[in-house]
Amino acid sequence: MSWDTYKALTFNFPAVELSLDLSRLGLPEGYIDSQRGAFAKAFAAMDELEKGAIANPDEGRMVGHYWLRDADLAPNEELKTTISSSVEKIKAFAAKVHSGEVKGSNGTFTDVLVIGIGGSALGPQFIAHALGVPSEDKAAIHFFDNTDPEGMDLALNAIGDRLGSTLSLVISKSGGTAETRNGMLEAQKAYSDMGLDFAKHAVAITGVDSKLDKVAVSEGWLERFEMWDWVGGRTSVLCAVGLVAAALQGIDIQALLDGASAMDKVTRAKSIEENPAALLALAWFYATNGKGEKDMVILPYKDRLLLFSRYLQQLIMESLGKEFDLDGNVVNQGIAVYGNKGSTDQHAYVQQLREGVPNFFATFIEVLKDRHGPSIDVEPGITAGDYLQGFLLGTREALGETGRQSITITTPEVSEATVANLIALYERAVGFYATLTNINAYHQPGVEAGKKAAGAAIELAKGIVGALESSKGTAMDAPTIAEKLGKPESTELVYKIALHMAANAKAGISKIDAENWYDAKFLILA
């Protein structure tokens, strides 16, 4: 890699103290110029989106997550006031909690339990892990981020006898998300088992008049914060979804909002070279041939950014993973995202990245500041942080030697501003890439299909219990149960569900093994 190539393809953005190096991507000469027409369209589409155009045509919705960090951009006064007042309400509520004016049964709140899934958990988790300092945080943060009972038990065990000083945030836009509802019910039981009133420890973050909102009102929960239908879950971290938990933890949420706003200003530039989000989208488009032909490997060389790849999985894959384009053509778009952290990855999958199937492009995230305070020398003149950078540079070089493409993003430190910079950078890059590939980045029909299929499985489970209840004492194999339910085409599902029920003694169901595993029978004893 020549110095001249590095200089030509590394772009610095002093306003946000970020640089983007595309020198190891293999961009051919003239490629950026060849994409100016496509990006003119992308810039225009983004302008219309920010002005309040219907950017999600399938759902007839505006897309307004950029307004969250600059309410003056919102298309009408009502929205401007709603956004600004929400932020002030969050700050005021956090101040009351920290002062003890709002407190739990056992005094000032020491812990916060976030109950959500998808965007209602990934964003808050990323912020909490990236910016929290357990010894200094004003509240310890815990998560119910799945409907796994054992996972909930682990969170409750971590809270222990502090449940009476734990504030629960229940997050669901519709109020009907099954995983979140299950988590809420599990939390309610945990509080009840300790003789505590859940409502006196609960906050709802949801849509106005949603199922959850109505529950919070009827039960007299401590507070309610609004979610809006023009903010998608995967871009909701800088509204109440992420800001309430962050503020309670003691993170400076105004610095988060200001950091995102600063990046938004830079990424509104109408020149590709002056716009880091445009350059990032261009890099993705080139690396994947505009068709998702390669995976995106996120390699942050900083422990605090460990969860960034998980956060980006939803932001990028849910936004870009689409069967149809906006014209109804089957395109099967998307970019698969995975990652961990450096230098851990060098002892995991870098071996394959360097010498295996070249079906990826890597993104290194370099953080210049090692720590707050001095570091010891681990050998004369060299610190552990020097080694960390050495491993980043060495891995990047090793990948380049075998023709593997990479991007490097450099930021000065991990702070509220820089974390928000990264969030805003990737949000807009996703929007630009979607325009380049003519897809709707703001809906998620595949997720809805999965929810419907899960609902069907739950109904089948109820049917299995009914079938075995009506024939108590009679053992039946999966085909017989399926036939009894009038669903022979669902025999596999019947077997899987009955197996799970027997493992948990659901409704008294037990399993009788047979010579062939698939001939196992299930029954409820008479």
Side-chain angles (χ1 to χ4, degrees):
M1 177 58 58
S2 74
W3 174 243
D4 287 339
T5 300
Y6 177 74
K7 286 193 299 180
L9 291 173
T10 296
F11 305 86
N12 282 286
F13 304 93
V16 288
E17 297 184 85
L18 179 139
S19 71
L20 182 60
D21 170 13
L22 304 185
S23 65
R24 285 167 170 76
L25 200 60
L27 290 175
E29 187 175 350
Y31 185 76
I32 293 177
D33 284 337
S34 74
Q35 298 301 311
R36 296 198 190 279
F39 272 92
K41 181 181 177 182
F43 294 145
M46 187 63 71
D47 285 348
E48 291 302 307
L49 179 150
E50 288 200 302
K51 290 175 184 175
I54 300 300
N56 183 356
D58 287 13
E59 299 175 7
R61 290 178 180 173
M62 299 183 293
V63 174
H65 49 274
Y66 299 110
W67 311 332
L68 298 174
R69 46 266 199 167
D70 189 349
D72 288 338
L73 294 173
N76 59 61
E77 290 301 321
E78 182 181 358
L79 286 178
K80 292 178 185 179
T81 301
T82 297
I83 296 165
S84 298
S85 62
S86 178
V87 173
E88 293 309 311
K89 182 179 177 181
I90 292 167
K91 292 177 180 177
F93 180 72
K96 289 178 182 178
V97 169
H98 295 154
S99 70
E101 181 180 344
V102 174
K103 57 188 177 183
S105 299
N106 293 352
T108 302
F109 285 115
T110 57
D111 295 72
V112 172
L113 174 60
V114 178
I115 303 172
I117 195 161
S120 295
L122 287 168
Q125 282 175 314
F126 170 48
I127 294 291
H129 186 269
L131 299 173
V133 181
S135 63
E136 301 175 10
D137 288 346
K138 294 183 177 180
I141 305 293
H142 313 270
F143 292 87
F144 280 6
D145 64 345
N146 198 359
T147 188
D148 177 6
E150 196 166 44
M152 296 181 219
D153 289 344
L154 288 171
L156 290 171
N157 287 338
I159 294 170
D161 60 6
R162 299 189 307 278
L163 197 61
S165 60
T166 296
L167 180 63
S168 287
L169 309 180
V170 185
I171 310 175
S172 171
K173 185 190 296 184
S174 68
T177 306
E179 297 95 331
T180 303
R181 175 182 173 275
N182 296 349
M184 179 186 73
L185 294 175
E186 290 268 359
Q188 285 178 327
K189 183 179 185 302
Y191 279 88
S192 177
D193 287 348
M194 292 186 68
L196 302 167
D197 183 354
F198 178 72
K200 294 179 179 177
H201 303 77
V203 169
I205 302 174
T206 188
V208 173
D209 292 330
S210 72
K211 294 177 183 178
L212 175 58
D213 195 40
K214 291 174 181 176
V215 168
V217 170
S218 67
E219 296 182 358
W221 289 17
L222 285 176
E223 190 56 271
R224 295 144 54 224
F225 293 93
E226 184 177 0
M227 293 176 70
W228 304 286
D229 65 3
W230 40 266
V231 178
R234 56 192 175 277
T235 55
S236 65
V237 65
L238 295 180
C239 72
V241 168
L243 295 182
V244 175
L248 292 169
Q249 190 176 355
I251 292 167
D252 185 346
I253 64 170
Q254 190 58 55
L256 280 171
L257 293 168
D258 291 346
S261 178
M263 180 57 76
D264 287 342
K265 290 174 183 174
V266 173
T267 55
R268 289 190 186 103
K270 298 301 187 292
S271 162
I272 297 174
E273 292 93 334
E274 296 174 3
N275 187 323
L279 287 165
L280 199 55
L282 177 140
W284 299 351
F285 192 84
Y286 175 73
T288 69
N289 198 26
K291 299 175 182 178
E293 292 178 356
K294 291 188 177 180
D295 301 340
M296 181 188 303
V297 182
I298 303 293
L299 302 174
Y301 275 66
K302 200 69 174 174
D303 284 9
R304 284 190 173 275
L305 299 181
L306 168 66
L307 298 183
F308 193 42
S309 61
R310 286 183 60 192
Y311 173 76
L312 290 179
Q313 277 181 338
Q314 184 185 21
L315 176 64
I316 294 171
M317 295 177 72
E318 192 168 281
S319 297
L320 303 182
K322 301 298 161 62
E323 181 177 6
F324 300 101
D325 68 11
L326 289 168
D327 298 322
N329 302 308
V330 175
V331 291
N332 297 118
Q333 264 290 351
I335 303 176
V337 179
Y338 64 93
N340 189 8
K341 67 178 182 181
S343 64
T344 299
D345 291 308
Q346 291 164 221
H347 302 275
Y349 49 74
V350 164
Q351 169 64 31
Q352 176 168 317
L353 297 187
R354 187 177 190 273
E355 298 184 6
V357 182
N359 61 344
F360 72 93
F361 65 100
T363 300
F364 293 94
I365 300 178
E366 176 185 32
V367 179
L368 296 178
K369 191 175 185 66
D370 291 338
R371 61 153 50 110
H372 295 286
S375 292
I376 64 167
D377 285 356
V378 294
E379 58 185 71
I382 300 296
T383 67
D386 295 330
Y387 262 105
L388 185 65
Q389 189 197 35
F391 284 129
L392 184 157
L393 297 175
T395 302
R396 187 178 68 150
E397 195 68 25
L399 293 184
E401 287 172 355
T402 54
R404 271 56 172 174
Q405 298 166 301
S406 71
I407 300 164
T408 302
I409 297 172
T410 302
T411 190
E413 61 182 348
V414 176
S415 66
E416 285 90 345
T418 58
V419 166
N421 286 167
L422 290 172
I423 289 170
L425 172 66
Y426 274 85
E427 282 179 348
R428 201 172 297 254
V430 163
F432 287 148
Y433 185 90
T435 301
L436 295 179
T437 54
N438 193 37
I439 60 168
N440 179 0
Y442 307 108
H443 70 160
Q444 49 282 333
V447 175
E448 300 307 316
K451 290 180 180 178
K452 289 179 181 178
I458 295 299
E459 289 304 311
L460 189 58
K462 295 175 183 177
I464 293 168
V465 173
L468 294 176
E469 278 278 3
S470 67
S471 302
K472 276 188 175 179
T474 301
M476 293 183 277
D477 60 12
T480 302
I481 298 171
E483 193 67 41
K484 190 176 179 69
L485 294 174
K487 294 182 178 292
E489 74 284 357
S490 299
T491 300
E492 178 195 351
L493 287 177
V494 167
Y495 175 80
K496 295 288 292 181
I497 294 168
L499 190 67
H500 177 260
M501 287 178 162
N504 292 279
K506 174 77 173 178
I509 296 174
S510 58
K511 171 175 169 269
I512 301 173
D513 289 325
E515 183 176 352
N516 297 311
W517 61 265
Y518 47 80
D519 290 326
K521 294 184 178 181
F522 303 89
L523 82 161
I524 296 176
L525 293 174

